[in-house]
């Protein structure tokens, strides 16, 4: 059912217009999975045209009708969870249990927005003058072009597409070059839900064509909004291109999350939280804990317990039972992790465990004696490397946590309620986890400060990225 090799445009499965193809390989063993259509600028123009035509009809559908489609998509994702998870693990490498969790997470967005789309918020505003009344209403923007990451290859299209469809927009989706197959399976779910043709279009393309397609998304007058999840560097480039046409952008970019363990913290709970925040998806997440700070009085206790927990992790093929850590997505990213660790050790960090590659995997690694000038502290590692330092005071920890141009997420553990309130407000991040690291949910806003992005995904605020607010001034009353 999900052995798909063509793009999905206007409700049809199509080869690329050029006839070009590219290979998709398993990141664990480099085996060829599929050879699929390599869609280029001509395919993207066609998809945008069809999405633009479909928008004229889709925007007029009632919230109840859109709600029905969204609910059906969510139900179908759950119905086919096992098959989708197996495909994701083969293509992206994450353990099967994590992949299944991501599919369920994806369904949650469609179920949430199936309800939220029935509650579009307008406002009645009293006028100062007699005989007048003001009101506002929400209207869909138009065609939404979406550029996806490889680390959550069905979770991210779900979070974007569900909100866009709920708002009344149509979509053109470009999957990451490493993980197009699960996005095509997602398109199959859209087709099975009988979503009208042209409302959702999916264009796989190789690295050779991604720049052309991305530029078209930013410059096409028929595209109303570009939504991108990925690196800050690429996000800045897309932002500058969109500026030429004053196009709406939604950017969820890189992070460099602090993880602070205060003296009053429940150490066992903090260790449990760091295991999830650091090693999920082999550390390949934008909200992973990157700069770990532990109060000096509990540092040794925390380190020993964290090392013991880390030693239980098992790297390998995500499809095999018991695997907790899959491969790094590709050779370029693996080499980057290797470089960051090597540079940090040269700068004086101490290797407590790990620090080696095993095939395409990187062993869970702990570095201590880390200082803010080291590569592992300044850069977003995007791998299973825990860089741990210590601190003396709350002020020192908060200052260092905010000492970054990134501001996506941050975490801290404390049982001092006064401290919890002070620190939660003081951290310059869009999302703060207090004694918890599960910050991403369909009904909560996801997004960052500083160079970590613009806008919010998820929650009722997710509709804002795909909506305009119109004022109606009624006189002569």
């Amino acid at each position: 059912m999900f052995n798909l090799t063509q793009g999905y445009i206007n409700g049809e499965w199509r080869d690329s217009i050029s006839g070009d193809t590219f290979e998709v390989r398993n990141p664990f063993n480099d085996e060829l999975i599929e050879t699929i259509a390599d869609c280029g600028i001509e395919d993207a123009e066609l998809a945008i045209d069809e999405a633009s035509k479909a928008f004229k009809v889709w925007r007029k559908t009632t919230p109840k009708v859109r709600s029905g489609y969204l609910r059906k998509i969510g139900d179908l994702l759950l119905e086919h969870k096992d098959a989708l998870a197996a495909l994701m693990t083969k293509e992206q490498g994450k353990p099967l249990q994590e992949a299944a969790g991501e599919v369920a997470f994806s369904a949650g967005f469609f179920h949430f927005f199936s309800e939220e789309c029935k509650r579009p918020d307008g406002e009645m505003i009293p006028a100062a003058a007699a005989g007048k009344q003001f009101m506002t209403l929400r209207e869909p923007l138009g065609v939404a072009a979406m550029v996806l990451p490889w680390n959550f290859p069905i979770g991210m299209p779900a979070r974007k597409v569900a909100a866009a469809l709920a708002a009344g927009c149509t979509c053109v989706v470009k999957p990451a070059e490493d993980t197009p197959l699960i996005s095509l399976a997602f398109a199959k779910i859209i087709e099975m839900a009988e979503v009208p043709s042209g409302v959702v279009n999916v264009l796989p393309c190789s690295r050779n064509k991604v720049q052309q397609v991305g530029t078209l998304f930013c410059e096409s007058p028929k595209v109303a909004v570009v939504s991108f999840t990925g690196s800050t560097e690429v996000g800045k480039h897309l932002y500058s291109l969109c500026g030429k046409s004053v196009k709406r952008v939604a950017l969820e970019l890189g992070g460099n999350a602090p993880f602070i363990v205060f003296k009053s913290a429940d150490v066992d709970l903090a260790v449990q939280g760091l295991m999830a925040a650091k090693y999920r998806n082999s550390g390949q997440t934008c909200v992973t804990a990157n700069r770990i700070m532990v109060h000096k009085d509990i540092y040794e206790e925390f380190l020993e317990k964290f090392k013991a927990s880390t030693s239980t992790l098992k790297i390998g093929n995500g499809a095999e039972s018991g695997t907790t850590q899959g491969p790094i997505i590709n050779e370029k990213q693996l080499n980057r992790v290797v470089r960051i660790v090597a540079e940090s050790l040269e700068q004086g960090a101490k290797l407590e465990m790990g620090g080696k590659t095993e095939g395409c995997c990187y062993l869970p690694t702990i570095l201590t004696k880390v200082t803010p000038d080291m590569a592992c502290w300044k850069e977003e590692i995007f791998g299973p490397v825990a860089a741990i330092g210590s601190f003396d005071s709350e002020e020192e920890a908060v200052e260092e946590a905010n000492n970054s141009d990134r501001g996506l997420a941050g975490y801290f553990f404390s049982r001092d309620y006064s401290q919890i309130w002070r620190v939660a407000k003081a951290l310059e991040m869009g999302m703060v986890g207090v004694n918890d690291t599960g910050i991403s949910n369909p009904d909560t806003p996801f997004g960052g400060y500083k160079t970590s992005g613009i806008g919010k995904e998820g929650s009722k605020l997710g509709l804002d990225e795909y909506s305009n607010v119109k004022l109606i001034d009624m006189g002569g009353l």
Side-chain angles (χ1 to χ4, degrees):
M1 179 186 295
F2 297 123
N3 296 323
L4 304 162
T5 61
Q6 299 172 297
Y8 184 68
I9 301 175
N10 195 33
E12 297 179 348
W13 297 96
R14 307 170 60 108
D15 293 330
S16 62
I17 292 174
S18 66
D20 292 344
T21 59
F22 70 104
E23 295 181 346
V24 181
R25 292 184 171 273
N26 184 317
F28 180 75
N29 53 29
D30 199 40
E31 288 182 357
L32 177 65
I33 304 173
E34 291 285 2
T35 300
I36 69 170
D38 189 1
C39 296
I41 193 166
E42 292 178 315
D43 305 278
E45 287 174 339
L46 175 61
I48 291 169
D49 286 344
E50 296 300 339
S52 182
K53 294 174 186 175
F55 173 66
K56 296 175 182 178
V57 177
W58 182 252
R59 68 174 301 171
K60 296 178 182 177
T61 57
T62 66
K64 182 178 180 180
V65 169
R66 294 199 296 274
S67 174
Y69 284 117
L70 292 166
R71 171 62 60 177
K72 191 171 183 180
I73 294 168
D75 290 346
L76 285 167
L77 286 168
L78 293 179
E79 182 181 336
H80 296 281
K81 181 177 68 173
D82 292 344
L84 292 168
L87 176 60
M88 193 191 315
T89 293
K90 181 185 293 187
E91 178 181 44
Q92 197 271 345
K94 66 180 60 180
L96 194 58
Q97 185 175 358
E98 283 191 25
E102 183 178 337
V103 177
F105 173 74
S106 304
F109 284 99
F110 284 98
H111 288 156
F112 174 81
F113 281 108
S114 73
E115 299 302 320
E116 196 62 34
C117 76
K118 294 185 287 189
R119 297 185 287 269
D121 55 330
E123 186 178 13
M124 299 295 291
I125 305 172
K132 293 186 64 163
Q133 177 66 57
F134 301 122
M135 68 181 71
T136 63
L137 54 87
R138 187 190 293 271
E139 294 185 324
L141 282 175
V143 177
M146 300 167 174
V147 182
L148 307 180
W150 48 260
N151 56 343
F152 293 97
I154 199 167
M156 293 307 96
R159 189 157 69 187
K160 296 176 188 295
V161 171
L165 297 188
C169 294
T170 55
C171 309
V172 179
V173 178
K174 191 212 78 65
E177 306 87 80
D178 289 299
T179 54
L181 299 180
I182 192 65
S183 289
L184 294 178
F186 173 72
K188 183 65 177 178
I189 294 290
I190 297 291
E191 181 185 48
M192 293 165 63
E194 300 180 311
V195 174
S197 298
V199 172
V200 178
N201 307 272
V202 179
L203 299 172
C205 75
S206 67
R207 286 181 176 81
N208 295 330
K209 298 185 179 182
V210 63
Q211 187 169 353
Q212 287 183 330
V213 171
T215 299
L216 175 66
F217 284 174
C218 295
E219 297 181 348
S220 171
K222 294 182 179 180
V223 172
V225 55
V226 173
S227 179
F228 169 75
T229 296
S231 73
T232 295
E233 292 71 27
V234 174
K236 287 179 177 179
H237 176 64
L238 295 176
Y239 192 19
S240 67
L241 292 177
C242 288
K244 297 177 182 179
S245 57
V246 197
K247 195 184 305 295
R248 186 82 68 88
V249 294
L251 303 175
E252 195 270 279
L253 307 178
N256 191 1
F259 187 102
I260 308 170
V261 186
F262 288 106
K263 184 178 179 179
S264 68
D266 180 329
V267 173
D268 292 332
L269 182 64
V271 168
Q272 179 184 335
L274 184 56
M275 290 295 294
K278 179 70 262 180
Y279 295 126
R280 181 188 182 196
N281 201 17
S282 298
Q284 299 173 109
T285 82
C286 57
V287 294
T288 189
N290 210 65
R291 296 174 293 148
I292 303 159
M293 294 174 267
V294 183
H295 192 275
K296 63 177 185 177
D297 289 353
I298 59 169
Y299 180 85
E300 293 299 333
E301 178 189 1
F302 179 89
L303 178 60
E304 290 307 310
K305 288 183 175 181
F306 182 60
K307 287 169 64 175
S309 293
T310 298
S311 68
T312 67
L313 298 175
K314 178 185 175 184
I315 68 169
N317 187 339
E320 295 179 358
S321 177
T323 297
T324 60
Q325 302 285 287
I328 302 299
I329 186 65
N330 55 44
E331 184 178 6
K332 179 181 178 181
Q333 180 59 26
L334 180 61
N335 290 338
R336 183 175 180 277
V337 176
V338 170
R339 173 189 63 77
I340 289 173
V341 171
E343 288 182 7
S344 299
L345 293 175
E346 290 174 2
Q347 293 166 327
K350 178 184 177 182
L351 180 65
E352 296 284 347
M353 62 188 304
K356 298 178 181 179
T357 60
E358 190 170 301
C360 55
C361 299
Y362 198 82
L363 294 178
T365 296
I366 299 176
L367 301 177
T368 57
K369 296 187 177 180
V370 172
T371 57
D373 60 333
M374 295 180 179
C376 62
W377 200 264
K378 295 189 297 183
E379 297 187 49
E380 184 180 21
I381 301 170
F382 239 64
V385 179
I388 307 177
S390 64
F391 67 91
D392 291 319
S393 68
E394 176 186 313
E395 293 75 18
E396 177 190 354
V398 170
E399 181 179 3
E400 183 54 40
N402 290 335
N403 184 26
S404 173
D405 66 345
R406 308 289 176 89
L408 185 57
Y411 313 93
F412 70 92
F413 284 72
S414 170
R415 287 185 286 194
D416 180 333
Y417 278 92
S418 295
Q419 181 178 67
I420 285 172
W421 187 240
R422 288 193 306 271
V423 175
K425 292 199 298 180
L427 292 178
E428 298 168 357
M429 290 109 203
M431 299 171 288
V432 176
V434 183
N435 296 325
D436 187 62
T437 59
I439 57 176
S440 183
N441 304 278
D443 47 356
T444 57
F446 189 101
Y449 292 175
K450 303 180 183 179
T451 62
S452 288
I454 298 171
K456 299 292 184 181
E457 295 186 328
S459 82
K460 66 178 183 179
L461 298 180
L463 294 173
D464 292 348
E465 308 307 318
Y466 303 100
S467 305
N468 278 320
V469 175
K470 176 180 285 185
L471 169 69
I472 298 177
D473 174 1
M474 298 183 66
L477 301 178

